[in-house]
Amino acid sequence: RPVLAHRGSRWYRFEKLVRRHRAAAVFAAASVLLLVVAAGVALRLAAVATRERDRGAVALAQTQRALRESDAVAGFLVGLFEASDPAEGGQDSVTAADLLRRGVAEAERLDAEPAAQARMFEALGRVYARRGNLERGADLVRRALAVRRATVGADDPASAATTAALADVLLQQGKYGAADSLAREALRVRRAT
């Protein structure tokens, strides 16, 4: 029978090349596979490093914010116990009510540090509530909550803690519906975070 001769296809020539040079072909295929795997691992490690760098930057920012807040709180406490007016009779005659009034005045001056201001308003509000002045306590905790929501938002854990504190004060006042609503809101945020 006659043979129809024609030029071989590219695939045919590639097969012939691989058959003739099996060791080199296996080595080349293994090298390509190794390069692909190495590139994948490198990309994965780069993504992990980027994510860790971002987490580190967020942690550093939080630490710096906490340090500023701590400095503001320390300054607040020092200012609270300093005898700023000699007409008040000196440090020995300062009452708890005087300290609370002075504390509220100092907290109102902390506009540059809203986190510290919110913390102070909340603490002073709790003290007022424990001393029986529930109306003043609720007012101060509401102010703390307003500052927190304005600075970090309503869905932040710090806002949730202040919301729970306000719910406690409202519960003491007998405002059960409002207290329940706030407590549920705080619980929702805490579960989400």
Side-chain angles (χ1 to χ4, degrees):
R1 293 190 165 171
V3 174
L4 181 61
H6 62 86
R7 184 180 177 119
S9 69
R10 289 183 182 165
W11 181 252
Y12 171 77
R13 286 187 303 214
F14 177 74
E15 281 184 89
K16 284 289 193 182
L17 177 69
V18 169
R19 281 190 206 139
R20 285 186 194 131
H21 305 287
R22 284 181 193 229
V26 169
F27 178 74
S31 297
V32 168
L33 181 63
L34 184 63
L35 283 174
V36 169
V37 169
V41 168
L43 289 174
R44 173 74 177 133
L45 290 177
V48 169
T50 301
R51 186 173 55 245
E52 290 301 317
R53 183 201 64 214
D54 293 344
R55 285 178 55 193
V58 168
L60 178 63
Q62 288 175 340
T63 301
Q64 289 172 337
R65 187 172 47 248
L67 183 60
R68 284 192 308 271
E69 182 179 339
S70 177
D71 288 343
V73 170
F76 170 82
L77 290 174
V78 167
L80 184 64
F81 287 101
E82 286 178 342
S84 58
D85 188 2
E88 290 182 359
Q91 289 177 320
D92 292 337
S93 65
V94 176
T95 65
D98 293 335
L99 287 176
L100 287 172
R101 277 192 298 278
R102 190 179 294 165
V104 172
E106 289 288 326
E108 288 172 347
R109 289 185 216 135
L110 288 174
D111 289 334
E113 292 294 332
Q117 185 180 45
R119 193 172 176 188
M120 290 300 103
F121 279 146
E122 182 180 342
L124 290 165
R126 286 179 172 187
V127 171
Y128 268 108
R130 284 190 188 122
R131 293 191 52 156
N133 192 343
L134 297 174
E135 203 57 45
R136 181 69 171 145
D139 179 53
L140 288 170
V141 177
R142 275 190 192 95
R143 287 177 72 180
L145 184 57
V147 170
R148 288 228 195 262
R149 286 182 174 172
T151 55
V152 295
D155 291 335
D156 188 77
S159 293
T162 306
T163 302
L166 181 57
D168 289 340
V169 175
L170 293 177
L171 185 65
Q172 292 174 25
Q173 284 182 312
K175 297 179 180 177
Y176 302 116
D180 182 59
S181 172
L182 288 171
R184 288 179 188 275
E185 180 183 340
L187 182 61
R188 178 192 60 79
V189 172
R190 285 180 177 166
R191 283 183 177 161
T193 56

